[in-house]
Amino acid sequence: MNLQSMLLTAAVASVVSVAAHAEDKAAPAVPAQELKAKTDYCKTCHGVSAQGFRGAVPMPRLAGQQPEYLKNQLQAFIEHRRTNPVMFNVAHVLTPAMLTDLTTYFKDLNPKPLGGGPKELMAAGKKIYEEGVASAEVPPCASCHGPDAKGADAFPRLAGQLNDYMIRKLTNWDKERGQDKANPDNSAIMQPIAHNLTEAQIKAVATYLSYLE
Ligand code: HEC
Ligand code: HEC
């Protein structure tokens, strides 16, 4: 290691320790062992690398997901804005510090996507993703979820998400998301889009996204 890189390493280390210290005051960090026990538990359903899992119901991929989006969803399960009894049980026992640490943990995982769905739908799906469906007033998905479908902040990553999971979510949007009318949330942004897509369009775009790395 030369002097320049040593100095750089020292500077980075001091920035990190200052940041960690500031974090300490806001919310005590979860001990590594406790975090590991919890993420192991999440992976019993969401797949060994959080890549998603096809069981009786499709378990969504969490790997590479945006922390802010994950946090919003865990909060939505807790507050019954997003209805799912399994995830309510999982989420409502999490301490605020654990909830925060969990959401950042998944961001750095990068397993290969499971893919799925008929490859002949790829071209149609890509077109919808990049151009939207003008006749149905559906804007390009890429305008919010990003050109590479990696998402940003409250906009979720869709790349590598399970096609069967997304098909279910887009089909049932009105019945599962934004269920507390007195407390509207980001799900309202997707509502008209999910509503205006046909079954065939949903299948095509979900298939395309499931193969993206
Ligand atoms: C018993 C199985 C099970 C366990 C354990 C579990 N989950 Fe889930 N999780 C699910 C299911 C099923 C869904 C899909 C819910 C739906 O269809 O709306 C889900 C959905 C989610 C979502 C929404 C994903 C998205 O793309 O919107 C998040 C976030 C999540 N789980 C986080 C976690 C975390 C963090 C843990 C560990 C603390 C965990 N889950 C443990 C079954 C589980
Ligand atoms: C105007 C911005 C916008 C556009 C355009 C948009 N989305 Fe979204 N989408 C969002 C937001 C915001 C969320 C998160 C909603 C929440 O937090 O409840 C979301 C959530 C989703 C989800 C749920 C992800 C999960 O893990 O459960 C899917 C699937 C999805 N969008 C697919 C699409 C597709 C396919 C298109 C194009 C046809 C599209 N979106 C266009 C903003 C947008």
Side-chain angles (χ1 to χ4, degrees), residues 34-136:
E34 247 178 75
L35 181 63
K36 180 171 187 307
K38 190 58 97 173
T39 55
D40 283 351
Y41 170 61
C42 308
K43 290 171 183 175
T44 59
C45 285
H46 288 277
V48 286
S49 314
Q51 76 278 30
F53 183 78
R54 293 195 162 91
V57 296
M59 304 287 171
R61 175 186 174 107
L62 302 178
Q65 188 52 276
Q66 296 293 334
E68 186 177 336
Y69 172 75
L70 286 183
K71 199 167 190 176
N72 286 345
Q73 297 313 301
L74 290 171
Q75 215 65 57
F77 288 126
I78 295 169
E79 294 168 17
H80 297 291
R81 282 181 278 116
R82 177 170 174 180
T83 52
N84 186 273
V86 174
M87 276 309 301
F88 169 77
N89 285 330
V90 171
H92 86 104
V93 297
L94 301 174
T95 62
M98 178 64 90
L99 203 146
T100 302
D101 285 10
L102 278 173
T103 57
T104 49
Y105 167 81
F106 289 105
K107 177 77 176 121
D108 295 331
L109 302 186
N110 190 23
K112 277 235 168 297
L114 293 182
K119 286 245 169 135
E120 64 268 23
L121 296 179
M122 293 291 281
K126 184 174 197 286
K127 192 166 159 51
I128 294 168
Y129 189 78
E130 289 171 357
E131 297 170 24
V133 185
S135 59

Side-chain angles (χ1 to χ4, degrees), residues 66 129-130 142 145-152 157-160 208-209 212-213:
Q66 296 293 334
Y129 189 78
E130 289 171 357
H145 293 280
D148 53 2
K150 296 265 166 68
R157 172 188 173 124
L158 302 175
Y208 167 68
L209 289 164
L212 289 190
E213 293 194 17

Side-chain angles (χ1 to χ4, degrees), residues 69 73 139-141 144-145 156 158 165 177 186-187 189-190 193:
Y69 172 75
Q73 297 313 301
C141 319
C144 290
H145 293 280
L158 302 175
Y165 165 77
R177 316 276 275 237
N186 291 339
S187 66
I189 303 170
M190 260 309 290
I193 298 166

